[in-house]
Amino acid sequence: MSVTPPARLPSHPFDDDKLREECGVFGVIGMKDAANFVALGLHALQHRGQEAGGIVSFDPDAGFNSARRFGYVRDNFTKTSLMETLPGKLAIGHVRYSTSGSKGQTAIRDVQPFFGEFAMGGAAIAHNGNITNAEALRRELINSGSIFQSSSDTECIIHLMARSIQRNIPDKIKDALLRVEGAFSIVAMTRSKLIGVRDPLGVRPLVLGRVGDGYAFSSETCALDIIGAEYLRDVEPGEMVVITEDGIESYRPFPVSEPRFCIFEHVYFSRPDSVIGGRSVYETRRQIGVELAREAPVDADLVCPVPDGGTPAAIGFSQESGIPYGMGITRNQYVGRTFIEPTEQIRNMGVRLKLNINRALVEGKRIILVDDSVVRGTTCRKIREMILDAGAAEVHLRIASPPTEWPCFYGVDTPERDKLLAANMTEKEMQLHLGVTSLKFISLDGLYRAAGETSGRNVLTPQYCDACFSGEYPVRPADMIDKGFSLKRSA
Ligand code: SF4
């Protein structure tokens, strides 16, 4: 019996108060049943996108095949009946939240990878990031005859490839990407090639690994681990890596730029067991806690994380301050999307569905609560209320990122600026609004130090993208400016 997938999956109420990474990409070449490895990789990248997923494979006899589904990878791409339709030694895949056009209203036609048939054969692409001039490109392409089938900005790349006069797919991809602005980490495939590309600033991650006689690209190293692949290196900013049976070739199709990797990957998006640029994500987060304890010490009895995002920073805070660490909040790992159609009563429970306070641990204590970020502030308020209800004497909130004052236009789902708490209130006003005894955010310099930049942030040429904190966008968000978005005025 076939089941019609829901038109959309609503987000859990808890998730509305976090920034959300919008995509993860994965690809494998040179391994029998490559699609099975891709499914495992996507499963490990599920935190980067839970709305939908897709896989395209190629087999010399069966040609290109694809499957796209709403929901979790484990609920779809574990079924033998489906995986048998994706044969071959070459496959790519994608998990997503909605990145453009249809936020929260994804149609199956928007689910990647996208596929295009060209004179020299087919190609599929999966994209993590956001094209900041997609609307202008789409208008131009439609005016000159392109017919779009999805609302995704990634489809622009397929149409630009179709316009390119180059005679092979990698060169068509190069031509297309030279017209594209913004952030992109792309995994693409032809009948014989697996291709990985990062934008010139390297805003979104992409790593290369070796598995058996084959190779894999992944958004994060944690997904290489799950298939037993060895991490070889990051695809470098502005690099295109083409892998065939004959080996690996590297190209530099873009003008050279200073890299601006997303610093929020270190804070929140990437899994703590991943390695970014040779640096453990867990270790960076723990170090953020150390920096926070130095910058914003407070006399208290217990350091508690808001799980899971605040956990490594809380450990670091405890180690540096000498104040004991305790799991004062337990997270129910099984909430997920269980309540697909929550009743009003369940909705009102909100955060309580996912987090519960360990009364025996917090009662009568002065608590230092460590969270990864404050976006709208609704979750923080609720947690503070729950901890005080459980008998805590004080709640001191410490945040492992600077105030999130600006939206991200590079592949992260952010509320509009007027919904961001830090864009509308001073730190003191936020403290009063959240009802906490004290509130401190890590400084931007402290965050850079924790990420390995011992001298902090270089104000003239920042080492990372930090636009959501600083308002300094490394790539002009052209479409948003056309729609009336105002950039920060220079000092
Ligand atoms: S704006 Fe923030 S979330 Fe977006 S890429 Fe830059 S640092 Fe990352």
Side-chain angles (χ1 to χ4, degrees), residues 203-204 262-264 269 408 410 412 465-468:
V203 176
R204 302 257 73 87
C262 165
I263 202 161
F264 223 131
F269 301 135
C408 174
Y410 307 136
V412 170
C465 174
D466 54 25
C468 48

Side-chain angles (χ1 to χ4, degrees), residues 1 12 46 49 59 73 81 86 198 204 228 230 264 291 330 403 410 449 453 489:
M1 188 182 80
H12 188 277
Q46 192 79 81
D59 176 79
V73 175
S81 55
L86 298 166
R198 271 177 95 191
R204 302 257 73 87
E230 175 198 358
F264 223 131
E291 290 284 344
T330 299
Y410 307 136
R449 281 193 299 272
E453 299 293 338
R489 296 217 179 103

